[in-house]
Amino acid sequence: MGQPTPATDDGWWRSAVIYQVYVRSFADGDGDGTGDLAGVRARLPYLAELGVDALWFNPWYRSPMKDGGYDVADYRAVDPAFGTLAEAEKLIAEARELGIRTIIDIVPNHVSDQHPWFRAALAGGPERELFHFRPGRGAHGELPPNDWQSEFGGPAWTRLPDGDWYLHLFAPEQPDLNWAHPAVRQEHEHILRFWFERGVAGVRIDSAALLVKDPELPDFTECRDPHPYVDRDDLHDVYRAWRAVADEYGAVFVGEVWLPDAERFARYLRPDELHTAFNFSFMSCPWDAARLRRSIDDTLAEHAPVGAPATWVLCNHDVTRTVTRYGRADTGFDFATKAFGTPTDLALGTRRARAAALLSLALPGAVYVYQGEELGLPEADIPLERIEDPMHARSGGTDPGRDGCRVPLPWAAGEPHAGFGGKPWLPQPDGWAAYAADRQAEDPGSMLHLYREAIRLRPVFGDGPPTWRPAPDGVLAFARADALCVVNLSDTPVDLPAHSELLLAGGPLDTAGRLPRDTAVWLRA
């Protein structure tokens, strides 16, 4: 295929609203209960009306689906459950005609155990050098090569019948690649070109800080600084090479980079590496004015030295949904805690989620919206026997996993399965149709209407940084251009600052015209 005219890097990504599509749960176009590319194509007008600038797709590649598609068997083929490569090309083109760019997921740390390379490695071929195979420890090699633990729980090593062990930082079906081998680096650069030539405007990099390992594979307890597999210095050479490829096509990167060290985080955003990276501190911050302001200030300060824009996200496919998190307790939450049966005040969570949406969309930088957040969906309780996320099994059943935020979307209140399509692969809770997009489209007070209006009005905040305004304790207030954002996280209603126009409110003001608790407004100065 010849290279099409690329979506030039005109800086669109610096302030974009990017909608995350988890294809399997978005919309089912062929009625088999699994979301697919046909379903996405049919809903492109909805996404255009929402006003988003780009779509980020979780992996749509051929996969055994042992980890929701993050176990990739073929990076150049679309999984038959989702459609075909030709359909992906049509989707990319049709979205672009509507002014919507496409960002795809790349999973460079590991592949599926069904990937041709790993199957050849198991057969004893030279492909073993592309992975991390090691003999075990102990008198008979019965112990793992080191003490590393999987991100999903349990040892990060699995033993083969021939006695050797292989490394997998995630599920056993996801063997880690050896990024010290030039063939691994070359292959991924070819994969990038393959998709850029099909019109993809950007790439989200999964587990972006984990690729490179200490070649000695030391015990973690003996080697904490530098970390044996997180944020290794050699990793930056990989992303510099990737950036050179992306620059040929005007394409951009966003990295999934979880690092507590601000200086080391910023290294990934230098002008010759990644364009952006996800901001997890904001997403994990409790509903507390002081802590949210500190997170915002720290985020902007981290990005300033390298000139990179911040990103803001409230939820994704790995995190308990915003409405549920914010409704769990007045004292805050831990987004990584997903205990069974945690009591939630959905009315409280919904008010806070509406306010948080206005807060995030008023900040400078890019905003990511996970599918269903614009509908105010809560986390769903999945029956134990229907949980598919490997985190549940690997934790011995103590972690319910991430399926609760991946339940198929409700589109039409009066149709079977709330208009999703066939019988959904994950069960929709009773009452799910109450959140249906068609019902919310007719309700000016709905979450969908709020998101549409906020995205439409967002340009009033201009391009500059926020200027904090004096505000009572528990209240966030800042100005950008001639617009103000005020969020009341205190326990009592507060007076609005002087303004010329109320642009948008997350909820009604009280009878005295004050801003109620857990509510946000946009004002024209």
Side-chain angles (χ1 to χ4, degrees):
M1 171 180 288
Q3 179 183 336
T5 301
T8 56
D9 178 8
D10 55 5
W12 64 271
W13 45 277
R14 289 185 167 271
S15 59
V17 177
I18 302 167
Y19 187 92
Q20 180 187 353
V21 179
Y22 192 79
V23 178
R24 196 178 184 189
S25 297
F26 184 73
D28 172 19
D30 62 9
D32 66 355
T34 295
D36 48 39
L37 300 188
V40 179
R41 291 174 63 200
R43 300 293 180 179
L44 284 175
Y46 166 88
L47 295 166
E49 187 173 3
L50 184 59
V52 300
D53 300 294
L55 305 177
W56 158 36
F57 290 89
N58 291 99
W60 57 25
Y61 314 111
R62 186 183 296 275
S63 168
M65 296 294 167
K66 298 298 184 181
D67 181 27
Y70 283 88
D71 49 320
V72 179
D74 186 347
Y75 287 92
R76 294 176 179 83
V78 171
D79 194 273
F82 300 147
T84 65
L85 178 60
E87 283 184 286
E89 292 170 346
K90 289 180 181 178
L91 172 56
I92 294 166
E94 289 168 357
R96 193 66 186 87
E97 290 174 1
L98 293 172
I100 301 174
R101 294 171 168 88
T102 297
I103 297 172
I104 60 169
D105 226 311
I106 290 291
V107 190
N109 179 71
H110 48 264
V111 294
S112 165
D113 61 358
Q114 300 303 306
H115 190 283
W117 278 1
F118 193 69
R119 296 177 72 175
L122 293 183
E127 288 83 359
R128 283 212 169 199
E129 296 180 3
L130 306 179
F131 300 91
H132 299 278
F133 285 89
R134 294 291 189 277
R137 296 189 291 191
H140 305 288
E142 70 277 10
L143 300 176
N146 65 27
D147 64 358
W148 296 4
Q149 295 294 296
S150 163
E151 297 289 323
F152 288 168
W157 294 90
T158 290
R159 196 179 192 187
L160 297 169
D162 65 8
D164 270 357
W165 299 70
Y166 68 89
L167 176 67
H168 52 85
L169 289 181
F170 294 88
E173 295 87 359
Q174 296 168 294
D176 279 36
L177 290 166
N178 175 17
W179 275 86
H181 199 290
V184 173
R185 300 193 179 201
Q186 183 181 58
E187 168 67 357
H188 280 77
E189 291 176 23
H190 289 168
I191 291 168
L192 292 174
R193 291 183 185 279
F194 178 88
W195 287 106
F196 290 155
E197 289 174 0
R198 281 156 179 79
V200 164
V203 166
R204 179 264 190 183
I205 307 167
D206 180 68
S207 300
L210 303 186
L211 278 57
V212 175
K213 279 75 175 177
D214 186 324
E216 300 301 320
L217 299 179
D219 280 343
F220 182 73
T221 53
E222 297 176 359
C223 180
R224 290 181 178 267
D225 188 18
H227 197 288
Y229 60 82
V230 175
D231 186 34
R232 305 282 300 178
D233 287 341
D234 292 352
L235 184 53
H236 295 283
D237 292 336
V238 173
Y239 292 137
R240 289 190 185 97
W242 284 25
R243 179 61 178 262
V245 174
D247 285 350
E248 294 178 29
Y249 297 87
V252 300
F253 292 120
V254 56
E256 184 190 27
V257 182
W258 299 71
L259 293 177
D261 186 312
E263 188 275 331
R264 293 196 68 87
F265 172 83
R267 292 184 184 188
Y268 290 85
L269 301 176
R270 289 176 290 196
D272 61 345
E273 294 192 43
L274 308 183
H275 299 75
T276 61
F278 282 134
N279 172 15
F280 293 111
S281 70
F282 180 78
M283 180 173 64
S284 60
C285 194
W287 188 248
D288 177 89
R291 293 181 65 175
L292 278 168
R293 175 168 174 171
R294 185 162 61 249
S295 174
I296 292 167
D297 286 341
D298 288 349
T299 295
L300 296 175
E302 289 169 5
H303 289 73
V306 288
T311 64
W312 311 100
V313 59
L314 297 173
C315 182
N316 62 34
H317 64 294
D318 289 332
V319 176
T320 301
R321 282 199 177 272
T322 310
V323 165
T324 298
R325 292 200 327 269
Y326 280 138
R328 279 185 171 161
D330 287 338
T331 56
F333 62 88
D334 177 356
F335 81 95
T337 299
K338 303 184 289 293
F340 286 110
T342 303
T344 297
D345 181 341
L346 290 183
L348 174 66
T350 298
R351 288 201 309 273
R352 290 177 171 178
R354 292 172 68 91
L358 294 191
L359 171 61
S360 61
L361 286 164
L363 291 168
V367 176
Y368 284 77
V369 178
Y370 177 49
Q371 65 180 42
E373 288 292 289
E374 82 281 10
L375 302 177
L377 296 182
E379 187 83 354
D381 289 327
I382 308 298
L384 295 180
E385 68 277 7
R386 295 293 301 275
I387 294 176
E388 296 198 10
D389 188 353
M391 289 186 72
H392 176 63
R394 295 278 293 179
S395 70
T398 61
D399 189 324
R402 301 158 294 178
D403 288 346
C405 66
R406 301 175 178 182
V407 173
L409 298 189
W411 289 101
E415 295 183 10
H417 313 302
F420 172 72
K423 183 179 179 181
W425 68 279
L426 280 177
Q428 295 172 318
D430 293 339
W432 208 237
Y435 297 97
D438 67 342
R439 178 174 293 180
Q440 294 201 36
E442 302 300 321
D443 178 7
S446 69
M447 186 76 83
L448 177 59
H449 184 82
L450 180 72
Y451 265 90
R452 285 177 174 174
E453 283 298 292
I455 293 171
R456 182 181 69 83
L457 291 171
R458 190 169 182 247
V460 301
F461 286 97
D463 298 324
T467 300
W468 293 104
R469 295 290 184 87
D473 289 344
V475 177
L476 298 175
F478 61 84
R480 294 179 59 219
D482 66 345
L484 302 173
C485 177
V486 185
V487 189
N488 183 9
L489 297 89
S490 72
D491 293 331
T492 59
V494 296
D495 292 327
L496 295 178
H499 62 280
S500 63
E501 181 184 0
L502 174 62
L503 296 171
L504 186 61
L509 304 181
D510 72 6
T511 55
R514 296 174 301 180
L515 183 64
R517 62 181 298 185
D518 301 316
T519 307
V521 291
W522 289 358
L523 308 170
R524 194 181 299 278

PDB file of all heavy atoms in Angstrom, residues 209 230-231 257-262 264-265 268 280:
ATOM      1  N   ALA A 209       7.097   1.867  30.159  1.00  0.00           N
ATOM      2  CA  ALA A 209       8.351   1.933  30.922  1.00  0.00           C
ATOM      3  C   ALA A 209       8.918   0.570  31.286  1.00  0.00           C
ATOM      4  O   ALA A 209       9.919   0.489  32.003  1.00  0.00           O
ATOM      5  CB  ALA A 209       8.142   2.749  32.197  1.00  0.00           C
ATOM      6  N   VAL A 230      11.912  -1.554  35.324  1.00  0.00           N
ATOM      7  CA  VAL A 230      11.099  -0.353  35.157  1.00  0.00           C
ATOM      8  C   VAL A 230      12.006   0.845  34.903  1.00  0.00           C
ATOM      9  O   VAL A 230      12.970   1.072  35.638  1.00  0.00           O
ATOM     10  CB  VAL A 230      10.221  -0.081  36.401  1.00  0.00           C
ATOM     11  CG1 VAL A 230       9.478   1.245  36.247  1.00  0.00           C
ATOM     12  CG2 VAL A 230       9.230  -1.211  36.630  1.00  0.00           C
ATOM     13  N   ASP A 231      11.725   1.595  33.836  1.00  0.00           N
ATOM     14  CA  ASP A 231      12.399   2.870  33.580  1.00  0.00           C
ATOM     15  C   ASP A 231      13.910   2.712  33.440  1.00  0.00           C
ATOM     16  O   ASP A 231      14.684   3.487  33.984  1.00  0.00           O
ATOM     17  CB  ASP A 231      12.058   3.854  34.709  1.00  0.00           C
ATOM     18  CG  ASP A 231      12.587   5.254  34.466  1.00  0.00           C
ATOM     19  OD1 ASP A 231      12.635   5.670  33.300  1.00  0.00           O
ATOM     20  OD2 ASP A 231      12.963   5.920  35.458  1.00  0.00           O
ATOM     21  N   VAL A 257       2.989   5.639  31.134  1.00  0.00           N
ATOM     22  CA  VAL A 257       4.207   5.718  31.941  1.00  0.00           C
ATOM     23  C   VAL A 257       3.817   5.977  33.389  1.00  0.00           C
ATOM     24  O   VAL A 257       3.358   7.069  33.732  1.00  0.00           O
ATOM     25  CB  VAL A 257       5.150   6.832  31.440  1.00  0.00           C
ATOM     26  CG1 VAL A 257       6.419   6.862  32.271  1.00  0.00           C
ATOM     27  CG2 VAL A 257       5.481   6.640  29.962  1.00  0.00           C
ATOM     28  N   TRP A 258       3.986   4.974  34.235  1.00  0.00           N
ATOM     29  CA  TRP A 258       3.701   5.108  35.662  1.00  0.00           C
ATOM     30  C   TRP A 258       5.020   5.284  36.401  1.00  0.00           C
ATOM     31  O   TRP A 258       5.734   4.320  36.623  1.00  0.00           O
ATOM     32  CB  TRP A 258       3.009   3.855  36.199  1.00  0.00           C
ATOM     33  CG  TRP A 258       1.692   3.504  35.607  1.00  0.00           C
ATOM     34  CD1 TRP A 258       1.445   3.025  34.362  1.00  0.00           C
ATOM     35  CD2 TRP A 258       0.413   3.575  36.258  1.00  0.00           C
ATOM     36  NE1 TRP A 258       0.111   2.795  34.181  1.00  0.00           N
ATOM     37  CE2 TRP A 258      -0.546   3.116  35.331  1.00  0.00           C
ATOM     38  CE3 TRP A 258       0.003   3.967  37.545  1.00  0.00           C
ATOM     39  CZ2 TRP A 258      -1.901   3.054  35.647  1.00  0.00           C
ATOM     40  CZ3 TRP A 258      -1.332   3.904  37.843  1.00  0.00           C
ATOM     41  CH2 TRP A 258      -2.276   3.460  36.915  1.00  0.00           C
ATOM     42  N   LEU A 259       5.363   6.504  36.780  1.00  0.00           N
ATOM     43  CA  LEU A 259       6.609   6.755  37.502  1.00  0.00           C
ATOM     44  C   LEU A 259       6.377   7.797  38.591  1.00  0.00           C
ATOM     45  O   LEU A 259       5.792   8.854  38.316  1.00  0.00           O
ATOM     46  CB  LEU A 259       7.703   7.269  36.548  1.00  0.00           C
ATOM     47  CG  LEU A 259       8.233   6.303  35.491  1.00  0.00           C
ATOM     48  CD1 LEU A 259       9.242   7.019  34.605  1.00  0.00           C
ATOM     49  CD2 LEU A 259       8.853   5.072  36.114  1.00  0.00           C
ATOM     50  N   PRO A 260       6.840   7.553  39.795  1.00  0.00           N
ATOM     51  CA  PRO A 260       6.679   8.548  40.861  1.00  0.00           C
ATOM     52  C   PRO A 260       7.678   9.700  40.774  1.00  0.00           C
ATOM     53  O   PRO A 260       7.441  10.764  41.340  1.00  0.00           O
ATOM     54  CB  PRO A 260       6.907   7.731  42.135  1.00  0.00           C
ATOM     55  CG  PRO A 260       7.805   6.607  41.715  1.00  0.00           C
ATOM     56  CD  PRO A 260       7.419   6.286  40.297  1.00  0.00           C
ATOM     57  N   ASP A 261       8.787   9.488  40.074  1.00  0.00           N
ATOM     58  CA  ASP A 261       9.843  10.489  39.979  1.00  0.00           C
ATOM     59  C   ASP A 261       9.523  11.443  38.823  1.00  0.00           C
ATOM     60  O   ASP A 261       9.559  11.055  37.647  1.00  0.00           O
ATOM     61  CB  ASP A 261      11.188   9.799  39.750  1.00  0.00           C
ATOM     62  CG  ASP A 261      12.367  10.766  39.789  1.00  0.00           C
ATOM     63  OD1 ASP A 261      12.293  11.810  39.132  1.00  0.00           O
ATOM     64  OD2 ASP A 261      13.363  10.449  40.464  1.00  0.00           O
ATOM     65  N   ALA A 262       9.217  12.703  39.150  1.00  0.00           N
ATOM     66  CA  ALA A 262       8.804  13.669  38.130  1.00  0.00           C
ATOM     67  C   ALA A 262       9.897  13.921  37.099  1.00  0.00           C
ATOM     68  O   ALA A 262       9.625  14.059  35.903  1.00  0.00           O
ATOM     69  CB  ALA A 262       8.392  14.981  38.797  1.00  0.00           C
ATOM     70  N   ARG A 264      12.349  11.921  36.105  1.00  0.00           N
ATOM     71  CA  ARG A 264      12.509  10.771  35.211  1.00  0.00           C
ATOM     72  C   ARG A 264      11.288  10.628  34.293  1.00  0.00           C
ATOM     73  O   ARG A 264      11.426  10.237  33.130  1.00  0.00           O
ATOM     74  CB  ARG A 264      12.767   9.501  36.006  1.00  0.00           C
ATOM     75  CG  ARG A 264      14.113   9.506  36.742  1.00  0.00           C
ATOM     76  CD  ARG A 264      14.526   8.115  37.192  1.00  0.00           C
ATOM     77  NE  ARG A 264      14.837   7.244  36.064  1.00  0.00           N
ATOM     78  CZ  ARG A 264      16.025   7.145  35.481  1.00  0.00           C
ATOM     79  NH1 ARG A 264      17.040   7.901  35.884  1.00  0.00           N
ATOM     80  NH2 ARG A 264      16.215   6.302  34.481  1.00  0.00           N
ATOM     81  N   PHE A 265      10.115  10.941  34.795  1.00  0.00           N
ATOM     82  CA  PHE A 265       8.916  10.937  33.948  1.00  0.00           C
ATOM     83  C   PHE A 265       9.087  11.909  32.781  1.00  0.00           C
ATOM     84  O   PHE A 265       8.783  11.585  31.630  1.00  0.00           O
ATOM     85  CB  PHE A 265       7.701  11.311  34.801  1.00  0.00           C
ATOM     86  CG  PHE A 265       6.436  11.540  34.030  1.00  0.00           C
ATOM     87  CD1 PHE A 265       5.635  10.477  33.651  1.00  0.00           C
ATOM     88  CD2 PHE A 265       6.036  12.827  33.682  1.00  0.00           C
ATOM     89  CE1 PHE A 265       4.464  10.690  32.936  1.00  0.00           C
ATOM     90  CE2 PHE A 265       4.868  13.050  32.973  1.00  0.00           C
ATOM     91  CZ  PHE A 265       4.075  11.976  32.605  1.00  0.00           C
ATOM     92  N   TYR A 268      10.823  11.111  29.273  1.00  0.00           N
ATOM     93  CA  TYR A 268      10.114  10.459  28.170  1.00  0.00           C
ATOM     94  C   TYR A 268       9.455  11.477  27.241  1.00  0.00           C
ATOM     95  O   TYR A 268       9.066  11.129  26.116  1.00  0.00           O
ATOM     96  CB  TYR A 268       9.057   9.495  28.717  1.00  0.00           C
ATOM     97  CG  TYR A 268       9.649   8.278  29.375  1.00  0.00           C
ATOM     98  CD1 TYR A 268      10.050   8.304  30.705  1.00  0.00           C
ATOM     99  CD2 TYR A 268       9.844   7.088  28.663  1.00  0.00           C
ATOM    100  CE1 TYR A 268      10.608   7.191  31.319  1.00  0.00           C
ATOM    101  CE2 TYR A 268      10.397   5.971  29.269  1.00  0.00           C
ATOM    102  CZ  TYR A 268      10.785   6.031  30.593  1.00  0.00           C
ATOM    103  OH  TYR A 268      11.350   4.930  31.195  1.00  0.00           O
ATOM    104  N   PHE A 280      -1.403   9.907  35.631  1.00  0.00           N
ATOM    105  CA  PHE A 280      -2.132   9.033  36.539  1.00  0.00           C
ATOM    106  C   PHE A 280      -2.328   9.651  37.921  1.00  0.00           C
ATOM    107  O   PHE A 280      -3.214   9.222  38.666  1.00  0.00           O
ATOM    108  CB  PHE A 280      -1.415   7.689  36.650  1.00  0.00           C
ATOM    109  CG  PHE A 280      -1.451   6.907  35.374  1.00  0.00           C
ATOM    110  CD1 PHE A 280      -0.304   6.701  34.627  1.00  0.00           C
ATOM    111  CD2 PHE A 280      -2.638   6.377  34.906  1.00  0.00           C
ATOM    112  CE1 PHE A 280      -0.334   5.985  33.438  1.00  0.00           C
ATOM    113  CE2 PHE A 280      -2.686   5.669  33.716  1.00  0.00           C
ATOM    114  CZ  PHE A 280      -1.541   5.466  32.979  1.00  0.00           C
TER     115      PHE A 280
END
